[in-house]
Amino acid sequence: MEIHRYEKIWLAGALLLIVGFIATISYGAVGAGIEMVDDDGGQIEPNAISDHPKFSEPGTYKTGENEYDVYVVAYQFAFDPGTSDPIRVPANSEVTFHITSRDVVHGFEIVGTNANTMAIPGQVATITVEFGEPTEYGLLCHEYCGSAHHAMEGSIQVVPQSQWNESMVVN
Amino acid sequence: MAAEPESEEMPTSAGEGAGDGASIPDTESIDDEGYVIGSGRAGVVRQIDHDDFDPIGTLVLIAIYMAIVGAMWIFMYFVEFLGGDLTVIG
Amino acid sequence: MATFVDRYPDEAKVVQASFAVAFIALGIGAFFGLIQALHRTNILRVIDSVDYYTLLTAHGVLLALVFTIFFLVGVFTWAIAKGFERPLPDIRLTWAWFGLMTTGTVLTAVAILAGLVPEIPMSADVLYTFYAPLEAHPAFYIGLAMFIVGTWMAGADWFLAYRDWRGDNPDERIPLQPFMVLTTMIMWYVSTLGVAVAVVFFLIPWSLGLIETVNPLLTRTLFWYFGHPVVYFWLMPAYLLWYTVLPKLAGGRLFSDPLARVVFVLFVLLSTPVGIHHQYVDPGIAEGFKFIAMTNTMFLLLPSLLTAFTVVASVEHGARQRGGEGYLSWLGALPWRDPAFAGMALAGLMFAAGGFSGMVNAGMNINYLVHNTLWVPGHFHMTVGTAVALTMMAGTYWLLPQITGKTVYSRPIGLFQVVLWFIGMVFMSNAMHRGGLLGIPRRTAEPQYQNFDFAAAVGSVGEIRMQIAFGGLLLFLSVVFFLFNVAATWAEDRVDTPVDDTIPAPLSPPSGAPLILDNLALWTGIAVVLVVLAYTLPLASIVTDSGLLGSSPGFPVAISLEALAEAAASALPHVSLDAAAGLRPLDVAAEAAETLEVSR
């Protein structure tokens, strides 16, 4: 098959572009250490969340020196915690969010950041992020979940270490 | 200038019906070409065959595109994404 | 001079009917789009936010499925009859699939739009992706299934035409346009299997109460098994027009017939084993599967990048034949006053930009930045919303005369309309991309929140909203002009030669293409193997983890008033109830909350 030499040049350029994209993503995974949400969170019975040792009492759990787990249950149309009460985590800590849904598919986005995942009934999404200085983030559901989807929001308070106290953790 | 006889246009795979060779609109009736839909070929002033055509303009356009895409990709990945808050590390 | 309608009057009627359904869907869908653009930007709210999701479902289904696919079956029917130079084998079969598709469409549309009328106990506010366990009325799923089966029958119709043609022409190359139709349909058969299984085996029995529960991750994964190839199903009629019609409109000839075939074969192979790239941030799917989907997706860029070269080179050939010179000034020699040419060329230009945001979407970990934000609809309004929709509108100006025997009512209105679409989309889509980077979510009636504001580093959120609303308005006006022009054309009288419908021979003829490219069975086989490789393990692990039927019962889109009130009250912890009552969409809920508050 005859291919014009200019098109051969472009074919090579296109392949270079594709390989470059894959290389960039691989760098992000290996070099910058970005991990995808995957099947590590395991499964959960959506109708029996109250039987789960942690999701039955969602909130912030201390797991180590400056390490915390935050369990969040999404439902039509709120996050627990997050909506009625803000999620609280201490500043300069490493936090793993465990997110599930007790009804339909929801989204979990810490507004203006890369912390962004799905909440699918039956599945637990886990994402680990490092929080820095004290601040407050917005939280929203970014997957349509029903007629009041737009009201499903909340906040995350990154509390200064000096003000962090026992009442802010479940355990 | 009217199109030259389109002798090289044999019936082909591109799907034209039979006997269409003469159905080009009468170019005499087109006052100013471009004012009739589908009359692009009425403005042809020269026939360029396969061996006489090097799409250099296409190569230039596509090179510009590749440069833009490469630069935008680097901006999106390294500034917007990696430069953003809260990288997911686990 | 005879054109298509004179040679194939029966087929022309089917194409006309398909276009008519497509354009009705376009008009309704575009109107809903305008309401949404004004609503979510808080410029003008004429509907309740609860109804926003009804209109959004209708907008997605009517434009992304009905408009695009009815136009597709019209163009493909035209291409098959014209390309094989023979009528379809049995016009009753042709009308049968048209009837089935139309019936399915009406059923689905009724199920969706009934959601606007509280008296009718029927709703399907589940959006175009219908993720379970949000549950729609069974009529929604049944209508969709009929629609899909109708497209399968259409494919069968065209393959029967191919068989007849092959019987008479045992040694000829498949003509290019029918080749494109047949390869596209192979891709469609392979990919619709996923959605068919999801709908027929799970969602229909579940919505009818025959099975209690579904596995939401499974039905979602099966949806996306189909949900990415469907975008190529939209795109392939546009590619068909770009490869075979645009060069002619430009005054040139297709640069390379063999490469066009290679591109379509690549789409058959790579369109389906990529769907998991829509699930990069889904739990329950291992990262390795996501990485495989990404590499497949990245290589799927190749046929589109090759298309960019071949199509632009063909257009350049036209410009050179029309006297164009120089490295770039040849662009000025193109017939820009022809709306068919200008519309397709602008659609291609927009596709280049949409292609870039698609490259970002394809990148696995960068998906954290854009997933489910306004960036995503920004992207697909450039691709399906312009590359496809604008090409279809532009193509109509050249096709409609052939299938009706009538000249286009107004060329200037046509030109104005296609340019207006392009400008409107530049405003709307660019602003959507920027809004997405700020974290503004898609599919949300009121992306204005109590707990936080979106922070724009450049410009402002208000300015982004204005651009979206303004762009949406221009797009709607463009559709109004288009539909007027089409209707006025249809009302004209028949003429002998409504348009020049010849397609010149390619510069590089099909004889240069390896014979193996026409071996459709081989490519089907490889495509199936690739799909099996990409999907067996992820699907097996999803089923092993949560069971074939999962444990999610159906949930309505609206929950009880009490729960809604609770949501409203808890969502606004720092806001007085008076202020909450001022929020229109939640006023019912807020009132209820007030009552609850008083009763405590």
Side-chain angles (χ1 to χ4, degrees):
Chain A
M1 190 168 73
E2 179 242 323
I3 302 176
H4 193 280
R5 67 180 186 283
Y6 290 171
E7 189 138 20
K8 282 181 185 152
I9 296 173
W10 172 237
L11 184 62
L15 284 170
L16 193 69
L17 206 59
I18 290 168
V19 172
F21 289 152
I22 296 175
T24 316
I25 303 296
S26 304
Y27 162 77
V30 179
I34 302 162
E35 285 201 25
M36 299 312 294
V37 179
D38 57 15
D39 52 356
D40 284 351
Q43 282 71 44
I44 184 170
E45 193 64 31
N47 311 313
I49 283 177
S50 53
D51 298 340
H52 189 276
K54 301 283 173 55
F55 279 113
S56 57
E57 205 177 341
T60 306
Y61 288 77
K62 188 168 169 60
T63 55
E65 190 65 26
N66 280 333
E67 287 181 13
Y68 295 83
D69 274 353
V70 177
Y71 288 82
V72 183
V73 177
Y75 60 95
Q76 289 175 322
F77 298 96
F79 296 103
D80 179 19
T83 300
S84 299
D85 301 304
I87 294 171
R88 290 192 183 87
V89 293
N92 301 309
S93 60
E94 186 176 300
V95 176
T96 301
F97 289 92
H98 302 250
I99 304 141
T100 193
S101 163
R102 73 173 192 217
D103 44 42
V104 302
V105 177
H106 296 277
F108 178 94
E109 175 189 324
I110 303 179
V111 178
T113 75
N114 294 324
N116 177 339
T117 187
M118 300 301 297
I120 298 177
Q123 306 288 336
V124 179
T126 57
I127 50 172
T128 302
V129 297
E130 283 171 339
F131 285 100
E133 295 306 304
T135 181
E136 183 162 336
Y137 292 101
L139 182 65
L140 64 79
C141 170
H142 63 46
E143 183 57 81
Y144 168 67
C145 58
S147 48
H149 160 58
H150 45 274
M152 185 164 168
E153 57 168 310
S155 61
I156 297 181
Q157 286 178 0
V158 183
V159 181
Q161 290 279 6
S162 56
Q163 292 169 32
W164 184 253
N165 63 57
E166 290 298 310
S167 72
M168 294 174 184
V169 287
V170 178
N171 61 340
Chain B
M1 184 176 159
E4 291 165 23
E6 314 217 17
S7 54
E8 79 285 17
E9 296 194 2
M10 52 250 173
T12 66
S13 62
E16 75 271 45
D20 273 340
S23 74
I24 305 279
D26 180 6
T27 46
E28 298 298 309
S29 70
I30 300 167
D31 300 320
D32 190 351
E33 62 85 19
Y35 283 92
V36 172
I37 291 168
S39 67
R41 293 182 65 76
V44 170
V45 296
R46 58 188 173 200
Q47 295 289 339
I48 300 173
D49 281 337
H50 177 266
D51 297 337
D52 304 329
F53 178 54
D54 285 324
I56 185 67
T58 302
L59 193 65
V60 171
L61 276 182
I62 223 115
I64 295 171
Y65 179 62
M66 191 160 167
I68 294 173
V69 163
M72 290 278 287
W73 173 262
I74 289 168
F75 173 76
M76 285 298 300
Y77 200 88
F78 292 96
V79 179
E80 288 283 343
F81 176 49
L82 291 186
D85 204 358
L86 298 186
T87 300
V88 177
I89 52 167
Chain C
M1 261 316 133
T3 188
F4 187 85
V5 64
D6 307 302
R7 281 190 220 109
Y8 311 106
D10 294 339
E11 285 72 15
K13 282 203 186 73
V14 178
V15 182
Q16 286 179 25
S18 303
F19 280 11
V21 176
F23 296 153
I24 291 168
L26 175 64
I28 302 171
F31 178 58
F32 291 170
L34 174 66
I35 295 176
Q36 290 158 44
L38 298 176
H39 189 97
R40 67 167 290 142
T41 53
N42 201 9
I43 306 283
L44 175 68
R45 289 186 170 159
V46 295
I47 51 162
D48 214 52
S49 283
V50 172
D51 291 334
Y52 177 92
Y53 301 107
T54 310
L55 297 192
L56 180 56
T57 307
H59 176 77
V61 170
L62 287 177
L63 292 183
L65 292 179
V66 182
F67 164 60
T68 51
I69 295 179
F70 267 95
F71 192 90
L72 174 147
V73 295
V75 170
F76 280 11
T77 301
W78 165 84
I80 286 285
K82 189 174 161 76
F84 286 142
E85 297 177 31
R86 60 197 303 146
L88 289 171
D90 187 342
I91 202 70
R92 288 169 304 179
L93 171 62
T94 312
W95 281 114
W97 59 250
F98 174 81
L100 189 59
M101 284 177 67
T102 309
T103 312
T105 299
V106 170
L107 203 57
T108 298
V110 166
I112 297 168
L113 295 175
L116 295 173
V117 188
E119 288 75 30
I120 305 176
M122 196 184 209
S123 88
D125 303 342
V126 290
L127 307 192
Y128 141 80
T129 46
F130 52 88
Y131 295 139
L134 269 183
E135 193 173 35
H137 190 277
F140 174 83
Y141 305 112
I142 293 170
L144 280 183
M146 291 169 70
F147 178 80
I148 299 277
V149 172
T151 61
W152 290 350
M153 286 169 59
D157 195 10
W158 302 325
F159 270 97
L160 288 173
Y162 168 57
R163 194 186 61 175
D164 289 359
W165 173 86
R166 183 53 92 196
D168 296 344
N169 303 275
D171 300 318
E172 277 197 44
R173 298 306 295 254
I174 305 172
L176 185 56
Q177 286 185 331
F179 179 85
M180 292 170 163
V181 171
L182 299 178
T183 45
T184 303
M185 291 315 292
I186 290 171
M187 179 196 85
W188 184 242
Y189 283 120
V190 172
S191 66
T192 42
L193 197 63
V195 75
V197 168
V199 168
V200 174
F201 291 155
F202 298 112
L203 298 178
I204 290 178
W206 173 70
S207 66
L208 290 170
L210 301 176
I211 56 173
E212 290 287 313
T213 57
V214 291
N215 178 342
L217 185 58
L218 178 62
T219 49
R220 184 179 159 82
T221 305
L222 288 172
F223 177 84
W224 284 119
Y225 169 100
F226 146 89
H228 197 74
V230 74
V231 312
Y232 290 102
F233 197 55
W234 303 329
L235 200 55
M236 288 308 102
Y239 272 34
L240 182 146
L241 294 173
W242 289 354
Y243 273 108
T244 64
V245 176
L246 185 58
K248 170 247 162 50
L249 295 175
R253 293 156 64 187
L254 173 59
F255 187 57
S256 170
D257 173 295
L259 272 174
R261 286 171 202 257
V262 168
V263 162
F264 275 73
V265 166
L266 284 172
F267 279 121
V268 171
L269 299 183
L270 286 174
S271 289
T272 308
V274 297
I276 287 175
H277 76 222
H278 290 260
Q279 301 176 279
Y280 280 149
V281 300
D282 276 15
I285 300 176
E287 185 163 355
F289 300 142
K290 295 176 177 175
F291 192 84
I292 292 170
M294 178 186 73
T295 50
N296 287 347
T297 307
M298 289 296 186
F299 279 98
L300 191 49
L301 287 173
L302 196 60
S304 285
L305 293 171
L306 285 176
T307 297
F309 189 98
T310 307
V311 171
V312 174
S314 312
V315 169
E316 183 186 352
H317 179 252
R320 303 275 180 211
Q321 290 206 128
R322 289 166 57 88
E325 300 288 350
Y327 286 119
L328 290 174
S329 48
W330 56 271
L331 287 164
L334 290 165
W336 291 107
R337 284 178 298 227
D338 179 345
F341 171 80
M344 282 193 211
L346 291 174
L349 179 61
M350 188 70 88
F351 193 54
F356 173 73
S357 63
M359 293 166 193
V360 172
N361 295 344
M364 184 175 68
N365 39 39
I366 197 175
N367 200 240
Y368 280 125
L369 177 66
V370 296
H371 177 73
N372 266 359
T373 69
L374 206 46
W375 168 284
V376 177
H379 161 73
F380 66 65
H381 279 85
M382 283 184 154
T383 49
V384 66
T386 301
V388 175
L390 185 55
T391 298
M392 287 179 173
M393 288 190 275
T396 300
Y397 291 124
W398 185 71
L399 288 167
L400 199 60
Q402 297 179 42
I403 60 153
T404 60
K406 299 163 181 180
T407 46
V408 169
Y409 172 74
S410 167
R411 183 200 58 85
I413 291 178
L415 185 58
F416 174 71
Q417 175 262 320
V418 296
V419 174
L420 193 63
W421 184 275
F422 183 82
I423 295 170
M425 197 58 84
V426 168
F427 277 104
M428 189 176 89
S429 181
N430 182 46
M432 282 172 136
H433 279 95
R434 288 176 50 214
L437 292 178
L438 309 182
I440 299 176
R442 65 188 288 201
R443 302 181 144 184
T444 301
E446 299 178 27
Q448 294 89 25
Y449 294 90
Q450 307 298 321
N451 286 293
F452 55 89
D453 290 315
F454 298 103
V458 178
S460 73
V461 173
E463 157 260 330
I464 287 175
R465 285 189 191 134
M466 288 304 292
Q467 288 200 47
I468 292 173
F470 180 63
L473 179 66
L474 297 190
L475 292 166
F476 175 69
L477 290 176
S478 171
V479 168
V480 170
F481 283 115
F482 172 74
L483 293 178
F484 168 77
N485 216 359
V486 166
T489 302
W490 233 305
E492 302 241 315
D493 293 327
R494 292 272 297 263
V495 296
D496 281 346
T497 308
V499 73
D500 170 13
D501 66 356
T502 54
I503 294 178
L507 283 171
S508 183
S511 53
L515 268 177
I516 196 167
L517 283 176
D518 286 14
N519 189 340
L520 299 179
L522 172 70
W523 304 123
T524 311
I526 298 178
V528 169
V529 169
L530 288 175
V531 166
V532 168
L533 287 178
Y535 267 103
T536 307
L537 290 176
L539 285 174
S541 99
I542 290 168
V543 171
T544 318
D545 286 344
S546 305
L548 198 58
L549 295 178
S551 45
S552 285
F555 288 90
V557 292
I559 52 177
S560 69
L561 205 62
E562 209 171 303
L564 209 60
E566 194 189 319
S570 59
L572 313 169
H574 312 300
V575 180
S576 76
L577 285 166
D578 286 346
L583 295 171
R584 277 173 36 77
L586 288 175
D587 47 8
V588 180
E591 274 168 37
E594 206 159 2
T595 325
L596 282 175
E597 204 66 26
V598 169
S599 65
R600 267 178 210 156

